[in-house]
Amino acid sequence: MSLPDVVSQIGQVLAALLLSPLLEGFILRGKERVQRATGPSLIQPYRDLWKLFHKELVIPESASFVYLITPVVAFAAMCIVPILIPVLTDFPLPQSDMGDILGGGMVLSIGSFMLMMSGLDTGSAYGGIGSSRSAMLGILSEPTLILVLAGVALLAHTMLPFPVNHLLAGHWPVFFSPAHIFIVCAFFVLLLVETDRLPIHSSTDIEIYMIGAARTLEYSGPLMAFARWASMMKQFILYTIFCNVLTLPWGLSHVGTLVGEAGAVGAIAIKFGVVALAVIVVETAQARLRFFRYQEPLAASFLLAVLGIVAQQF
């Protein structure tokens, strides 16, 4: 029996909410295992969120309303995007036509922009450094993202994610075309940039090299929990677009049954695990770079996106 479309749409948002910490735990544990360490438990991100939600909230004296609303706005933005993209089903749900891929990208950018502003809001040195570095990365990553989306639009003649999923799942010549391969490679580099997996990022909270973590260093308690959860959900959403739309567009429910959507969750676990392992290998194998070399992988991604568009003209 098919589930009501509204239930399926709520299920997509809940999948992003509940599975995003598990994806983060898998990546953290996998990275430590590759480096021959034990690593944290897969459910450690859930424990961290639970602990943060029960801690006292400390607000800096110099903070304004931007500091207070940013985690909630970022979290709400991440709850909107799963409505627009194929998370569990490969057919549009009632509110899926509110926006296309570009609209979803803009909603994701709202969360990143607010976090950047909150890093500057308190006047903290680390927050300022993290926000300025995020802006420098965004100057190059945003045009590349627009080029990738333009390549997808030219490939499928639409900006809606569901027709792109159907085209790539059912037409092998398009799936193995040079244009699609270039676009997938360009998006993979963007995935590394947007999830802080480039070798210019730091995984610790005390180094001057940290970028994304520096923007939220002044947060504590429930606001810190919302900020971290929003970051995990953004990672889950980018993995969803990369797997369910561009790279592995199979394994989604065709009619919206409970069994089909449960199977889609299992397919997500397998697909995300494969992509996460590739990300871990790339992140671990790459030598640490100085921050000013951040433009090298982004320039490569930009070139791949241009090649993807040019390849479609032949």
Side-chain angles (χ1 to χ4, degrees):
M1 183 181 69
S2 299
L3 296 171
D5 288 345
V6 174
V7 174
S8 296
Q9 200 146 46
I10 294 173
Q12 294 208 147
V13 178
L14 289 177
L17 275 170
L18 301 178
L19 298 180
S20 54
L22 184 62
L23 174 62
E24 177 72 9
F26 179 82
I27 293 174
L28 294 177
R29 184 175 177 82
K31 185 178 176 182
E32 295 295 328
R33 297 294 292 176
V34 168
Q35 298 174 358
R36 299 186 177 182
T38 303
S41 167
L42 290 176
I43 62 171
Q44 187 60 44
Y46 295 99
R47 294 172 178 164
D48 293 341
L49 290 177
W50 177 265
K51 187 167 58 178
L52 286 170
F53 274 119
H54 289 80
K55 280 195 170 185
E56 182 182 0
L57 178 63
V58 179
I59 301 175
E61 293 182 355
S62 58
S64 70
F65 74 98
V66 175
Y67 173 90
L68 296 174
I69 66 171
T70 290
V72 179
V73 171
F75 185 80
M78 300 309 152
C79 291
I80 293 174
V81 182
I83 297 174
L84 310 176
I85 59 178
V87 180
L88 300 177
T89 66
D90 66 353
F91 59 89
L93 294 168
Q95 304 301 322
S96 299
D97 57 354
M98 290 194 304
D100 52 18
I101 297 179
L102 185 59
M106 292 179 66
V107 175
L108 285 178
S109 298
I110 290 174
S112 300
F113 174 76
M114 291 300 296
L115 288 173
M116 186 173 66
M117 294 299 295
S118 69
L120 298 170
D121 183 62
T122 58
S124 163
Y126 279 118
I129 291 173
S131 297
S132 63
R133 288 177 172 172
S134 296
M136 292 173 69
L137 289 172
I139 289 172
L140 287 181
S141 65
E142 294 297 332
T144 306
L145 177 62
I146 292 174
L147 273 182
V148 169
L149 297 180
V152 172
L154 291 173
L155 193 69
H157 303 289
T158 178
M159 291 291 286
L160 296 174
F162 293 95
V164 178
N165 171 277
H166 293 170
L167 175 70
L168 295 175
H171 296 79
W172 290 105
V174 177
F175 187 85
F176 288 107
S177 65
H180 178 237
I181 294 173
F182 283 133
I183 289 171
V184 168
C185 294
F187 195 93
F188 184 75
V189 178
L190 286 177
L191 185 68
L192 297 176
V193 175
E194 296 294 336
T195 56
D196 296 347
R197 301 297 172 191
L198 279 183
I200 59 172
H201 291 89
S202 170
S203 59
T204 65
D205 288 344
I206 57 175
E207 289 190 48
I208 197 170
Y209 296 106
M210 60 186 179
I211 301 175
R215 297 176 302 178
T216 58
L217 201 60
E218 294 295 315
Y219 282 106
S220 61
L223 289 181
M224 185 65 168
F226 276 119
R228 284 196 178 178
W229 205 348
S231 175
M232 296 177 198
M233 289 183 67
K234 180 182 179 181
Q235 178 174 252
F236 183 92
I237 290 166
L238 290 172
Y239 271 66
T240 302
I241 296 173
F242 185 71
C243 293
N244 288 354
V245 178
L246 288 179
T247 311
L248 302 166
W250 305 281
L252 300 176
S253 175
H254 301 303
V255 292
T257 61
L258 181 61
V259 174
E261 295 189 9
V265 172
I268 283 175
I270 296 172
K271 290 187 286 189
F272 284 20
V274 172
V275 175
L277 288 176
V279 170
I280 291 168
V281 170
V282 171
E283 185 184 8
T284 306
Q286 280 188 309
R288 182 68 179 273
L289 300 175
R290 293 181 181 178
F291 177 76
F292 66 81
R293 296 182 64 181
Y294 70 94
Q295 72 274 19
E296 295 178 5
L298 287 169
S301 177
F302 187 87
L303 178 61
L304 288 168
V306 172
L307 288 174
I309 293 175
V310 172
Q312 296 178 42
Q313 310 305 318
F314 298 97

